[in-house]
Amino acid sequence: MNMRFWVAVASADHVAIGVAQGFMQVCHGKAGPLKRLNAEDWVAYYSPTQTLGGKDKLQAFTAIGQIKLGEPYQVEITPEFKPYRRDVAWSQVGRLPIRPLLPNLSFSKSTPNWGYQLRFGLFEVTRDDLKQIYQGLAVTSSLL
């Protein structure tokens, strides 16, 4: 199976919870997007804000890691909210602003509407895209 590379979208506060507990969650807990991921795929989190629904713009990559073996699983947060998650081995955590990378990332270098894809919550990128994000986070790496 070929390794694939992804960008997921969530507030930095939510990313920090996932990093601390070793999981990822996307699209308000939907299982479908997580089923597209395979063990050993890499995922980078982009955080448009610090808090969910907040006006506190961040626009930075905040974590990167590799998907672990296993399928998406459901957890109960409240009786009404039972999101699906996927286990991840997080390797870099920090703050890497996206704007300096825009001319170099495959999904943004030829379009002024680079943010459009982010609305999907999870999308595939190139190995080179993820490598640039990984290297940038390695420089800014810190605990959230």
Side-chain angles (χ1 to χ4, degrees):
M1 192 168 296
N2 288 336
M3 189 182 307
R4 294 163 71 189
F5 308 92
W6 305 87
V7 168
V9 181
S11 69
D13 288 351
H14 283 181
V15 172
I17 293 167
V19 167
Q21 296 180 25
F23 71 86
M24 70 174 293
Q25 182 176 305
V26 294
C27 304
H28 305 289
K30 292 181 182 169
L34 294 176
K35 290 178 180 179
R36 296 169 49 204
L37 305 172
N38 295 307
E40 298 187 13
D41 284 0
W42 283 87
V43 62
Y45 258 113
Y46 170 77
S47 298
T49 60
Q50 181 66 41
T51 57
L52 178 65
K55 302 286 184 207
D56 48 357
K57 268 189 185 180
L58 185 58
Q59 294 186 324
F61 291 101
T62 49
I64 192 167
Q66 195 167 28
I67 305 300
K68 291 183 176 182
L69 284 173
E71 296 297 317
Y73 58 91
Q74 196 170 26
V75 296
E76 183 173 329
I77 304 299
T78 68
E80 298 80 31
F81 184 53
K82 300 174 186 173
Y84 284 87
R85 295 178 173 171
R86 199 71 201 255
D87 289 336
V88 178
W90 297 107
S91 61
Q92 299 292 347
V93 179
R95 296 276 191 276
L96 177 64
I98 193 172
R99 291 218 176 259
L101 297 176
L102 292 177
N104 303 319
L105 298 173
S106 66
F107 67 90
S108 61
K109 66 182 171 187
S110 61
T111 179
N113 299 323
W114 59 268
Y116 180 76
Q117 287 192 76
L118 300 172
R119 298 179 70 142
F120 296 109
L122 180 71
F123 62 97
E124 194 168 358
V125 296
T126 67
R127 176 188 292 269
D128 188 55
D129 286 346
L130 216 77
K131 184 177 178 182
Q132 289 181 67
I133 297 164
Y134 186 93
Q135 290 172 338
L137 275 174
V139 170
T140 66
S141 189
S142 67
L143 294 177
L144 289 178

